[in-house]
C-alpha cells in the first residue's frame, strides 16, 4: 500500500452571500493509492478541474427540499474534472485511461465508478476542453439550444454571460444555425470577444446599460425567439418584455441570484401568458445520451477552427479558491479551468 | 333591409388598475340585419357571452409590443360566445345554425366568418356549456393538463382559482387520471365546492393562509408535479418552492396581476434551475385542432354525470359590466356566463 500526500480544497463552512476565498481552505491530507479489496471504485489522478457557477449552490446549508444537495464542511469540494486512472476496480476503466466526470477538488480521488461520465477518446484537442466545450458546458449549450430551446434556423437569439463557459458556445452554435445572435457580458474586453472572436452579431456590456429593456429593444427591434438564460434577475425581467410570441427560454443558470440573501423579484412574468413563452430549467445530466452525437457535431468544427473556445486557466490547487470565487464577480474571461497537474 | 336596435356593452376608456362597472357602458345602437353584398361575414344573434379574465388585458392601452391587442374605446367588447346564425355570407354556415367563437358584446354581431370557431353539433347538453366546459375553458383545461403539462397518471396536481371556469375542470380531469388534486380558492363556499362537488382531494382558502409556502407543504409533503397556473404573484412564488424535480407549470393566466399597476415580484425563480421546472404560457388558440378529440373525451363524462360544471349566470346585457368586473374580485362562483337571449 502506497500512501501519498493529497492536497485538497475544502469548504470551511456553509456560505451566505458572496463566497470569499476564506470560505475555502487548502489542506494537506493523505490518500492510499490502491483500490480497497472488492471495491469497484476508481482511483483518479486529477488533472484539470472545472470552476462552475452551480458549485455556489452546493455551498448553501441544506435545508430545503430533499432533492437539493450540499457540500459538507471539512470535506473537499466536488465538481467536474478531467482525470487519469491510476487504478480501477471497474473493468470498464484501466490504468492510464483519461476520463472526465464528477471528481473531487484534490490531487487524487477515489470515486465510485458511475461518477465517471466518459472515457476520453479524442486527444488531438486540448485535454482541458473536456471541462468545457467537450464536457458539461458543451453538452449544456448544445442541449439547451436544440432540445430545450427548440432553436430553429434564422431565429433571434440572446444569451447572457455570453463570454462564459457555456455562453460563448451558445452564440457560436446559434451562428452555425444562421441565427442573429447578441450577447451580454460585464466588461468591454468580454464584449470585444463576443464580436471579434466568437462571431456574435453584436454584444453589449450590461453594466453600462441603465435601461436593459431599452438596450434589448435596440438590439432586437423584432423581439427575441430564444433567450439562453444564465443570469436571472433584472436581465430576465427585461428579456420577458422583449420575447416574441412562442419564444423559449432555456434556463441554464441564474448566477446573479446565487449570492443574494434576498432574490430580486421578477415582475414581468405575465408576458409568459400574453406571449405563450416557455421557460425551462435544465442541466446537462438529462442529456448525456446525446454526447456521442454532440461530439460528432462539434469535433470537426473545432478541428477546422470554425468554433473556438476561450479558457481562463489557473495553475495549481492552491489557486482554486480564488479561481472559483472569481467566477461570481466575473473575473474569469472565458471558461475558468484549474490545473492540478499536467498528466 | 331590416334595421333593428342593437344594445351593446362598450369600453368607455382604457383601464388602469381594477376595472369598475363605470369603465363600461351600455349603449343602444342599430344594426342592419343583412349581410353586405359580396361579403363572407356572418350575422349572429348572440345568446350567451363568456366573461373571461383575459378580457381585462384587452382593456389596457396598447403601447407594448405589436403582438398585444386592445379593445377600442367607444366600441363593443369582444369575447367568446354562443350565437345563432341569422344570415351567412359563408356557405359553411346557414341560418339557424348554432355556433361558438369570437363575437361582440351586443345583441347582434356581424363577424368575419373565421371568428366562428365551431358549429355546435351536440345540443343535448346546456348551450351555455359552449362558453365553458365545451368551449374555450374546456379546451384550455384539457390542453393545459395533457399537452402543456404532460400530466401523468397518479401525479400530484395543484390548481389555483380552482372553482373557476377552467380550474374546476382541471381538477376533475386530473382526478380522472388518478391524480392527487388540491385546489385553492378565495371563499369557504368555493372550497366546499372543490371538495364536495368537484371531487378534489382537498382545497384551501388562500385568503386564510398567512403562509402559502407552509400551506402547500402541508398539502403536498412530497411536492407538486403539475401546477396549473391561473393566478401568478405570491401563489406562484410559493409554488416554486414546492415543485418536484421535472415539475411542469402550464400557465393559463395570472389574474392576481392583471389589475396591479406594479406587478408583484416573483423571487423564487432559481427553483426553475435547481429543479428543472418547465413553465409554459399557453392559450386555447394553439390547441383547437384537439377539439374533436376533446369532445369525444368529455361529452360521455358529462352525460354520465361523471364531470359536473358549475356556472354563475347573469341575465341581460345590462348586467354585463357587473358580471365581468366581478370576475376580478372573485364574485363569481363557477363559470361566469352572461345571457343575452335564450334563442
Amino acid at each position: 500500500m502506497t500512501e501519498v500526500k493529497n492536497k485538497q480544497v475544502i469548504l470551511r463552512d456553509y456560505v451566505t452571500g458572496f463566497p470569499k476565498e476564506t470560505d475555502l481552505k487548502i489542506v494537506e491530507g493523505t490518500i492510499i493509492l490502491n483500490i480497497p479489496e472488492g471495491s469497484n471504485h476508481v482511483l483518479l489522478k486529477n488533472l484539470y478541474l472545472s470552476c462552475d457557477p452551480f458549485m455556489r449552490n452546493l455551498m448553501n446549508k441544506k435545508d430545503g427540499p430533499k432533492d437539493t444537495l450540499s457540500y459538507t464542511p471539512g470535506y473537499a469540494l466536488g465538481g467536474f474534472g478531467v482525470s487519469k486512472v491510476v487504478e480501477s476496480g471497474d473493468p470498464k476503466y484501466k490504468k492510464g485511461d483519461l476520463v472526465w466526470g464528477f471528481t473531487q477538488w484534490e490531487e487524487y480521488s477515489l470515486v465510485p465508478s458511475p461518477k465517471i461520465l466518459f472515457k476520453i477518446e479524442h486527444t488531438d484537442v486540448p485535454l482541458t476542453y473536456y471541462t468545457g466545450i467537450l464536457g458539461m458546458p458543451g453538452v449544456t449549450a448544445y442541449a439547451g439550444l436544440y432540445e430545450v430551446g427548440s432553436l430553429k434556423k434564422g431565429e433571434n437569439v440572446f444569451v447572457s454571460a455570453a463570454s462564459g463557459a457555456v455562453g460563448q458556445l451558445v452564440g457560436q452554435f446559434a451562428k452555425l444555425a444562421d441565427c442573429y445572435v447578441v450577447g451580454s457580458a460585464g466588461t468591454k474586453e468580454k464584449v470585444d470577444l463576443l464580436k471579434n472572436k466568437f462571431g456574435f452579431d453584436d454584444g453589449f456590456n450590461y453594466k453600462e446599460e441603465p435601461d436593459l429593456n431599452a438596450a434589448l429593444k435596440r438590439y432586437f427591434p423584432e423581439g427575441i425567439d430564444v433567450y439562453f438564460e444564465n443570469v436571472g434577475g433584472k436581465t430576465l425581467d427585461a428579456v420577458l418584455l422583449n420575447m416574441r410570441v412562442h419564444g423559449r427560454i432555456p434556463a441554464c443558470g441564474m448566477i446573479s441570484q446565487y449570492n443574494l440573501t434576498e432574490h430580486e423579484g421578477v415582475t414581468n412574468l405575465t408576458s409568459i401568458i400574453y406571449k405563450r413563452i416557455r421557460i425551462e430549467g435544465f442541466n446537462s445530466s438529462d442529456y448525456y445520451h446525446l454526447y456521442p452525437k454532440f461530439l460528432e457535431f462539434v469535433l470537426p468544427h473545432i478541428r477546422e477552427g470554425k468554433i473556438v473556445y476561450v479558457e481562463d486557466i489557473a495553475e495549481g490547487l492552491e489557486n482554486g479558491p480564488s479561481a472559483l470565487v472569481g467566477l461570481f464577480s466575473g473575473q474569469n474571461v472565458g471558461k475558468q479551468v484549474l490545473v492540478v497537474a499536467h498528466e
Side-chain angles (χ1 to χ4, degrees), chain A:
Chain A
M1 296 218 301
T2 324
E3 191 175 75
V4 298
K5 286 192 176 167
N6 193 26
K7 205 182 286 176
Q8 300 184 307
V9 180
I10 66 163
L11 182 70
R12 211 188 274 266
D13 200 358
Y14 295 116
V15 175
T16 315
F18 270 85
K20 302 175 299 295
E21 286 186 43
T22 53
D23 291 323
L24 306 172
K25 190 179 166 185
I26 312 291
V27 299
E28 194 139 310
T30 59
I31 187 168
I32 293 164
L33 285 189
N34 301 94
I35 305 288
E37 195 67 40
S39 158
N40 71 346
H41 279 40
V42 181
L43 186 69
L44 300 174
K45 181 182 184 191
N46 296 313
L47 306 179
Y48 306 109
L49 294 174
S50 179
C51 297
D52 290 303
F54 77 86
M55 297 172 73
R56 171 62 188 86
N57 300 320
L58 302 180
M59 299 177 191
N60 288 331
K61 190 164 178 163
K62 192 198 283 193
D63 61 358
K66 46 196 146 198
D67 43 51
T68 62
L69 296 169
S70 292
Y71 292 138
T72 308
Y75 286 82
L77 305 182
F80 288 94
V82 171
S83 313
K84 191 172 208 163
V85 174
V86 177
E87 198 182 329
S88 175
D90 180 335
K92 275 205 293 187
Y93 305 103
K94 61 174 202 301
K95 186 174 169 173
D97 278 352
L98 291 165
V99 296
W100 74 270
F102 213 74
T103 186
Q104 305 289 121
W105 277 43
E106 57 195 352
E107 291 172 283
Y108 294 93
S109 298
L110 186 67
V111 303
S113 136
K115 295 265 182 189
I116 296 173
L117 292 173
F118 295 97
K119 202 187 283 193
I120 292 173
E121 313 278 4
H122 306 274
T123 54
D124 61 320
V125 289
L127 269 184
T128 49
Y129 277 17
Y130 289 91
T131 67
I133 182 169
L134 298 174
M136 179 275 282
V139 176
T140 301
Y142 181 75
L145 267 183
Y146 289 103
E147 302 288 316
V148 186
S150 311
L151 185 72
K152 288 187 279 291
K153 207 173 151 150
E155 288 193 315
N156 294 343
V157 176
F158 177 56
V159 52
S160 51
S163 70
V166 174
Q168 59 178 297
L169 295 174
V170 169
Q172 292 182 81
F173 294 170
K175 283 311 299 175
L176 289 175
D178 293 330
C179 292
Y180 168 76
V181 182
V182 177
S184 64
T187 66
K188 184 181 179 308
E189 179 189 7
K190 292 178 185 180
V191 172
D192 285 344
L193 272 180
L194 302 183
K195 296 197 272 192
N196 303 321
K197 181 128 187 137
F198 302 134
F200 285 50
D201 293 287
D202 224 322
F204 63 88
N205 181 347
Y206 69 89
K207 292 178 181 166
E208 290 182 351
E209 294 290 347
D211 182 344
L212 284 170
N213 178 22
L216 289 169
K217 285 201 167 26
R218 208 164 65 229
Y219 290 104
F220 293 97
E222 302 292 321
I224 299 166
D225 295 295
V226 173
Y227 167 50
F228 198 103
E229 166 68 301
N230 287 314
V231 304
K234 291 187 180 67
T235 301
L236 175 58
D237 224 0
V239 163
L240 285 167
L241 296 176
N242 290 280
M243 290 299 288
R244 299 180 76 170
V245 169
H246 284 136
R248 288 86 64 202
I249 304 184
C252 165
M254 296 193 177
I255 196 172
S256 76
Q257 304 301 297
Y258 296 161
N259 302 304
L260 304 180
T261 43
E262 296 223 355
H263 289 176
E264 290 170 339
V266 171
T267 59
N268 296 319
L269 290 170
T270 51
S271 292
I272 293 176
I273 307 287
Y274 304 152
K275 297 189 277 188
R276 293 170 270 165
I277 294 166
R278 184 173 83 214
I279 305 187
E280 185 166 348
F282 74 100
N283 67 39
S284 57
S285 69
D286 291 323
Y287 297 97
Y288 285 129
H289 60 282
L290 299 177
Y291 190 63
K293 189 178 153 199
F294 168 64
L295 282 186
E296 222 169 275
F297 159 79
V298 78
L299 277 169
H301 289 305
I302 295 175
R303 289 176 181 137
E304 291 162 24
K306 285 193 185 152
I307 288 189
V308 297
Y309 198 62
V310 170
E311 300 177 310
D312 193 330
I313 296 191
E315 291 277 345
L317 262 183
E318 59 283 354
N319 289 313
S322 66
L324 182 56
V325 166
L327 274 187
F328 300 98
S329 53
Q331 279 183 15
N332 56 308
V333 177
K335 166 69 195 176
Q336 182 67 58
V337 183
L338 178 66
V339 179
V340 185
H342 294 279
E343 307 215 22

